[in-house]
Amino acid sequence: MPFSSLGLSPALLRALSARAYTAPTPIQAAAIPAALQGRDVLGSAQTGSGKTVAFALPLLQQLAQVAAEKPRRARALVLVPTRELAAQVGEEFRNLAQHLDAPLKVSVVFGGVSINPQMMGLRGGTDIVVATPGRLLDLLDHNALTLAGVQALVLDEADRLLDLGFAEELARILSLLPAQRQNLFFSATFPPAVQALAHTLLQDPLRIDVLPTPQDRPDILQRAIAVDAARRTQLLRQLISQEKWSRVLVFVATKHAAEIVADKLRKVDIDAEPFHGELSQGKRTQVLADFKAERLTAVVATDVAARGLDITQLPVVVNYDLPRSTSDYTHRIGRTGRAGESGLAVSFVNAGTEAHFRLIEKRQGLQLPREVIPGFEPAETAPPAAAGTGGVKGKRPSKKDKQRAAARGD
Ligand code: AMP
């Protein structure tokens, strides 16, 4: 089915072909016609399914059809959990809007950077606001914008928004929106809190479940390599050079580990940078830009990078430390194999993390053979007492921890 059969305007079709999007993904094919008719949509979709375009196109088309009021007021609000996702979603809106007759203004606002340029940017009004909840509330407190003219609300990665402890911020924002509006709600998972939010927010929504089919399931080869905790960096170096990995996203459990592992890789001439919530926004943006432009071979990241980031043709993801949860595993490996490309996800497993990995496998319906790389045969047998063996130790973060992490942008 071509995009042209979905009822989209010629200006949007032109932008799609400029983006080289030839046919809609399943979620786009289902959501676009319904959203164009003004229906609420409840989409269950993983990142990589094309959901950004699925909500951006109908919003742009609807906004472009009606001239903006004077003064201009935000007419569409897109709430996202992280700064990086905000930047990415804003960019996609701008790309798709470029051929519209009447230009639409897209404002992207997120925390961790000075509020003043964002306040300046909102002067004279805007059409579309893509925001993280905390910064949006700060801007509202400064009277930098009003939500009274919002006709459409998108909640993107609703599960992640709630995971990060944004429930109170969301409730405040929702109370400031006009009751009459369209709601587009997307989430990869539907735990009870997300279901409850969807239930209160949506009116007779079109429910779209994009189950991965053999055609659109990301083509990700998953491997598990048995290696002692202390030898993981050496093994990583060897794999990068022997398997000729051009770019690899390495996940670790802590900011400290991200710094140390990146440092060790740099010492052996692998271009590597850490990526975590304590870096300045400028640094984070720079690292991502360098990675996307292939100026870096490795980025060593905490789970801040696991969701939402879209790095096209990222060939390899490594779980240097295992993720805490099965859903984090899904999101981490989902950074590769995006939009029909193939990818590789490698997990390092050692005596201390074997039981945890088995649990992840069970929940994922997986059974991966444990590879042993010559020269890296594991010697550990008992779970090591020392730290740094994976993301499985310690208590689960409390709600407060999550809120603090969210405030830092983790
Ligand atoms: P998302 O699920 O929104 O994070 O999108 C995942 C990736 O799919 C992004 O790199 C988009 O640029 C890409 N994408 C979205 N729609 C299409 C399409 N119809 N055809 C090809 N790629 C697409």
Side-chain angles (χ1 to χ4, degrees), residues 3 21 23-25 28 47-53 92 310 312 338-339:
F3 273 113
Y21 298 162
T25 64
Q28 291 162 8
T47 46
S49 58
K51 63 190 165 56
T52 313
V53 174
E92 189 72 281
D310 177 30
T312 36
R338 314 253 301 154

Side-chain angles (χ1 to χ4, degrees), residues 13-240:
L13 293 175
R14 227 177 114 198
L16 285 166
S17 65
R19 298 284 285 144
Y21 298 162
T22 47
T25 64
I27 192 150
Q28 291 162 8
I32 291 169
L36 280 175
Q37 287 167 12
R39 262 193 92 171
D40 281 5
V41 168
L42 175 58
S44 145
Q46 306 283 339
T47 46
S49 58
K51 63 190 165 56
T52 313
V53 174
F55 63 72
L57 288 171
L59 291 188
L60 288 169
Q61 176 140 327
Q62 286 167 313
L63 296 187
Q65 274 165 359
V66 182
E69 304 168 6
K70 296 241 163 64
R72 224 172 246 254
R73 292 193 302 180
R75 290 183 284 158
L77 173 65
V78 183
L79 290 176
V80 297
T82 63
R83 310 163 187 187
E84 282 75 20
L85 191 56
Q88 245 166 244
V89 169
E91 200 180 308
E92 189 72 281
F93 266 97
R94 287 184 185 131
N95 284 328
L96 295 172
Q98 59 187 324
H99 298 298
L100 297 173
D101 290 336
L104 290 172
K105 184 166 158 194
V106 182
S107 302
V108 177
V109 299
F110 47 76
V113 293
S114 161
I115 197 168
N116 292 335
Q118 294 176 0
M119 289 178 62
M120 301 276 283
L122 288 164
R123 285 213 185 133
T126 187
D127 294 295
I128 299 164
V129 177
V130 182
T132 54
R135 176 52 60 91
L136 179 67
L137 286 171
D138 288 348
L139 287 161
L140 289 164
D141 290 343
H142 282 86
N143 291 321
L145 83 160
T146 168
L147 299 182
V150 170
Q151 300 156 11
L153 167 74
V154 178
L155 285 194
D156 191 13
E157 302 203 348
D159 50 352
R160 181 71 163 165
L161 276 163
L162 294 185
D163 269 0
L164 289 173
F166 281 130
E168 281 163 32
E169 284 89 343
L170 272 182
R172 257 190 79 196
I173 292 168
L174 294 176
S175 73
L176 297 172
L177 294 171
Q180 265 299 337
R181 57 166 201 269
Q182 183 176 20
N183 299 288
L184 307 174
F185 190 110
F186 295 88
S187 196
T189 56
F190 282 85
V194 176
Q195 283 179 34
L197 182 62
H199 187 70
T200 50
L201 215 65
L202 298 161
Q203 285 195 352
D204 183 29
L206 174 72
R207 166 105 209 198
I208 305 170
D209 289 290
V210 181
L211 296 172
T213 62
Q215 293 93 304
D216 64 39
R217 194 198 328 256
D219 182 9
I220 302 171
L221 173 67
Q222 299 176 61
R223 290 166 57 187
I225 301 182
V227 55
D228 287 342
R231 308 219 42 216
R232 288 173 298 177
T233 310
Q234 259 178 304
L235 175 60
L236 181 60
R237 281 169 44 190
Q238 171 163 320
L239 290 170
I240 290 173

Side-chain angles (χ1 to χ4, degrees), residues 322 349 353-364 366 370:
L322 292 181
V349 185
T353 61
E354 174 61 35
H356 181 62
F357 194 65
R358 263 190 240 139
L359 204 67
I360 292 176
E361 287 183 303
K362 193 167 156 213
R363 300 229 173 104
Q364 295 271 328
L366 278 176
R370 303 291 182 265

